[in-house]
Amino acid sequence: QVQLQESGGGLVQAGGSLRLSCAASGRTFSSYPMGWFRQAPGKEREFVAGISWKGGSTAYTDSVKGRFTISRDNAKNTVYLQMSSLKPEDTAVYYCAAQRYYTGTYDYTRDYAYWGQGTQVTVSS
């Protein structure tokens, strides 16, 4: 069992930066591929970024490429999402999630077994 807790959300002006953190409990965190998703009001939860269990492979949705960076520190049981050049359309609740094993893709919510409670990111124009 893995428990995930996001932090680092907040209110920021367009063009600003935030770093989200996701702290995980459990000894097997380092073996789990991880992902960040977001959900805006009235919209479905969407994939943002994913990272392999060692951190050597990452993936991003097109709208955040070049602006967001996912990373992990397995010694600290933490995964990060560095967000830069934020836009109002990035406003959403951001969730981290863990796969029990790599399914071949990071994109689908159905592939993730564990989810955090989410942290709100609001970008003002």
Side-chain angles (χ1 to χ4, degrees):
Q1 187 74 12
V2 174
Q3 292 186 327
L4 304 173
Q5 180 64 58
E6 303 93 339
S7 62
L11 173 64
V12 64
Q13 288 189 334
S17 299
L18 281 175
R19 187 176 82 157
L20 305 184
S21 299
C22 174
S25 65
R27 294 178 295 172
T28 55
F29 167 80
S30 61
S31 67
Y32 294 146
M34 299 291 295
W36 284 96
F37 288 74
R38 64 187 179 187
Q39 188 166 18
K43 295 189 177 181
E44 291 189 354
R45 193 169 298 189
E46 66 171 354
F47 168 74
V48 176
I51 189 166
S52 61
W53 65 280
K54 277 189 172 181
S57 176
T58 58
Y60 300 90
T61 192
D62 286 346
S63 63
V64 308
K65 284 180 181 176
R67 300 189 299 122
F68 291 11
T69 302
I70 188 171
S71 62
R72 67 190 297 162
D73 185 338
N74 286 342
K76 295 183 178 180
N77 278 11
T78 303
V79 63
Y80 304 97
L81 186 67
Q82 178 67 49
M83 305 185 295
S84 302
S85 301
L86 283 161
K87 305 175 181 180
E89 51 263 43
D90 295 318
T91 295
V93 177
Y94 282 71
Y95 300 88
C96 69
Q99 297 183 357
R100 288 197 186 96
Y101 53 87
Y102 184 53
T103 62
T105 179
Y106 299 104
D107 299 39
Y108 302 112
T109 58
R110 64 172 183 259
D111 291 335
Y112 291 81
Y114 307 107
W115 290 85
Q117 294 300 307
T119 185
Q120 177 71 47
V121 172
T122 302
V123 184
S124 63
S125 57

